[in-house]
Every structure is written in structure tokens, then in C-alpha cells.
């Protein structure tokens, strides 16, 4: 017997996809910022860009996960959808900001 459930899943995309999307946006933003920043300080070392290029996308992935977990509210509709969307955006920006601060700490963020 085949189970033909009509219940739709809450999440239209899997968690991994949302995390990759969040990390991708974060990587593009930090890469653009780093490569447009000009000549680095010689005190920072040769491989100083590795830390922000790893930390910021990880934080972006966490922001993407937060967006994913807010889907429960978003799919209830009405004012809850608006609140979930605003909270998701604020959460992603916060995660991106924290990742940028941690990634650039000791180099450009001094």
C-alpha cells in the first residue's frame, strides 16, 4: 500500500541549501570587500585573508540556517510571515556582522 499523504512540507528547500546560499552571499561580500581594500599592512602576514574568507561564510551559513528555522512562522501567513521575514533578515545581517568582526579582528578591524 502506498502512502499518499497530502501534507506539504514546511520547508521548500533543505537546510543545506539555505546554508550554502547564506555562505555564498557572505563569501561574495567579504571577497569584494577584501579585494577592493587596497594594500595590506605588512604586519598582518602573508596569508591574512584566509581568516576572514573562512569566518564570514561560516557566519553566513549560520544566518542561512536561522532563515530556514524561521520558515515555521513564515508559512503561517499573515503578520507572522512579515515578522518572520524581518527577523530572518535581521538575524542574517547580525550573523554576517559578527562573522566580519571575528574574521577581520587583528587585521583591518583594529
Amino acid at each position: 500500500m502506498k502512502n499518499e499523504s497530502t501534507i506539504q512540507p514546511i520547508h521548500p528547500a533543505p537546510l543545506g541549501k539555505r546554508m550554502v546560499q547564506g555562505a555564498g552571499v557572505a563569501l561574495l561580500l567579504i571577497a569584494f570587500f577584501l579585494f577592493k581594500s587596497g594594500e595590506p599592512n605588512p604586519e598582518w602576514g602573508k596569508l591574512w585573508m584566509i581568516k576572514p574568507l573562512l569566518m564570514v561564510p561560516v557566519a553566513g551559513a549560520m544566518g542561512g540556517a536561522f532563515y530556514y528555522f524561521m520558515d515555521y512562522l513564515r508559512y503561517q501567513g499573515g503578520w507572522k510571515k512579515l515578522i518572520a521575514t524581518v527577523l530572518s533578515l535581521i538575524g542574517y545581517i547580525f550573523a554576517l556582522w559578527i562573522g566580519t568582526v571575528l574574521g577581520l579582528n587583528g587585521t583591518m578591524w583594529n
Side-chain angles (χ1 to χ4, degrees):
M1 189 184 248
K2 193 176 183 182
N3 184 6
E4 294 184 22
S5 178
T6 60
I7 298 173
Q8 295 293 323
I10 290 176
H11 305 288
L15 175 61
K17 182 177 181 179
R18 294 292 183 222
M19 291 179 76
V20 167
Q21 289 171 338
V25 169
L27 179 63
L28 288 174
L29 289 173
I30 194 66
F32 178 77
F33 179 74
L34 290 176
F35 295 125
K36 292 291 184 179
S37 65
E39 195 64 33
N41 188 336
E43 295 174 0
W44 297 342
K46 189 187 285 188
L47 302 174
W48 72 274
M49 282 190 187
I50 291 176
K51 184 179 171 189
L53 287 174
L54 291 175
M55 294 290 290
V56 176
V58 167
M62 294 302 107
F66 182 72
Y67 181 89
Y68 173 84
F69 290 121
M70 293 300 289
D71 278 349
Y72 178 74
L73 281 177
R74 192 173 294 108
Y75 286 98
Q76 290 182 8
W79 61 271
K80 290 181 181 181
K81 180 178 181 178
L82 177 65
I83 289 176
T85 303
V86 170
L87 284 176
S88 296
L89 181 63
I90 290 171
Y92 182 77
I93 291 170
F94 179 75
L96 200 60
W97 175 67
I98 293 296
T100 303
V101 169
L102 292 174
L104 295 177
N105 184 32
T107 56
M108 297 178 105
W109 199 279
N110 228 0

